[in-house]
Amino acid sequence: MSGYSKGAEATISPAEYLGRPAVRKSRPSKSYRLPELDSRIRSVRTRNEVRMMREARRAGVRTPCVYDLDVSECSIVMEAVPGRTAKEVISEGGEEALRVAVEIGRATARLHSAGLCHGDLTTSNVIVRPDGEICLIDFSMGRSKATVEDIGVDLRLLENAFASSHAGMEDVGEAMMSAYFEGVRDPDAVRKKLGDIRNRGRYT
Ligand SMILES: Nc1ncnc2c1ncn2[C@@H]1O[C@H](COP(=O)(O)OP(=O)(O)OP(=O)(O)O)[C@@H](O)[C@H]1O
Ligand SMILES: [Mg+2]
């Protein structure tokens, strides 16, 4: 498995759970935050991530199985998903890049149709398993009961992620977007909202 990283907030480390390959995602405290605020942010994000992974799975989107949750430590032990990030796979181009892009569009449509938004949709937060299935990770900023605004912002993030991480591969981004609009529950409302959001970026 590649790409273990230390992001801005969380630390990912290899672990084992009842003999199964696992990863531990923990949120160490940040000294620059007031202690009470810090522990609240860490625990809210940790619990939110677990809840969102469960809700996403119910909406038909694969996410890692959670093996253990430690609320006081703000850490999650979850299934280690084998494979590579969609970012790596798409960067290699070809048929597989297009296939993965379409799968990302479909998965995002399923999330949004269930009223869920991911909060940090990028191709780094998608793992392509060796069997070809995709698995979404990093739901700590996600939310349920998403409004069309939340959904539009989520989709705009994804669109931008494709444009910046996969520059020069416009066909891949277009394949993702058309799969999305084919699958989402209210494509007209989302299309309109996305247009508004793109314009906002242009004039502010
Ligand atoms: N369950 C998992 N199985 C395999 N690899 C994982 C798993 N969870 C995370 N990773 C790897 O670790 C990287 C970072 O994980 P993640 O995206 O969850 O954290 P982050 O971006 O640092 O967190 P946050 O944005 O919540 O602060 C991922 O891009 C992926 O490569
Ligand atoms: Mg991430």
Side-chain angles (χ1 to χ4, degrees):
M1 192 185 324
S2 66
Y4 281 128
S5 70
K6 197 178 157 90
E9 295 285 340
T11 305
I12 304 281
S13 51
E16 214 187 57
Y17 187 81
L18 299 179
R20 292 181 192 159
V23 304
R24 180 185 306 275
K25 179 166 180 172
S26 47
R27 296 182 175 277
S29 52
K30 297 282 174 196
S31 52
Y32 57 79
R33 285 198 291 244
L34 287 171
E36 261 175 44
L37 184 64
D38 183 65
S39 54
R40 202 160 68 225
I41 290 175
R42 290 161 59 224
S43 81
V44 165
R45 290 197 184 150
T46 303
R47 279 174 298 161
N48 191 52
E49 183 157 14
V50 171
R51 184 177 61 87
M52 288 300 303
M53 283 197 269
R54 187 174 59 228
E55 293 199 12
R57 202 170 310 120
R58 281 187 193 144
V61 173
R62 190 155 187 159
T63 62
C65 285
V66 173
Y67 293 151
D68 198 15
L69 164 65
D70 185 329
V71 179
S72 60
E73 290 284 320
C74 296
S75 74
I76 303 168
V77 176
M78 64 182 115
E79 169 192 9
V81 180
R84 297 189 298 152
T85 65
K87 186 174 184 170
E88 295 174 66
V89 174
I90 292 174
S91 298
E92 290 169 1
E95 282 299 306
E96 181 62 359
L98 278 173
R99 187 191 69 80
V100 168
V102 165
E103 288 301 320
I104 293 174
R106 286 182 183 149
T108 305
R110 282 199 288 272
L111 279 184
H112 289 178
S113 299
L116 308 176
C117 72
H118 178 282
D120 189 18
L121 272 177
T122 64
T123 50
S124 306
N125 286 334
V126 178
I127 299 177
V128 183
R129 295 164 42 97
D131 64 11
E133 272 201 61
I134 64 164
C135 183
L136 267 57
I137 61 168
D138 204 0
F139 278 88
S140 61
M141 307 301 279
R143 61 178 307 175
S144 49
K145 302 197 182 87
T147 62
V148 68
E149 170 77 19
D150 296 328
I151 285 169
V153 168
D154 216 35
L155 182 62
R156 179 63 179 150
L157 269 175
L158 182 61
E159 185 180 53
N160 278 334
F162 269 80
S164 62
S165 297
H166 309 293
M169 298 177 76
E170 282 71 24
D171 53 335
V172 171
E174 281 161 20
M176 181 279 291
M177 291 298 271
S178 37
Y180 174 85
F181 282 113
E182 266 168 44
V184 79
R185 195 178 53 197
D186 193 350
D188 294 340
V190 182
R191 217 178 244 118
K192 179 172 181 306
K193 181 54 87 174
L194 183 64
D196 294 347
I197 294 169
R198 285 183 184 138
N199 279 327
R200 252 184 245 164
R202 208 164 289 153
Y203 299 114
T204 54

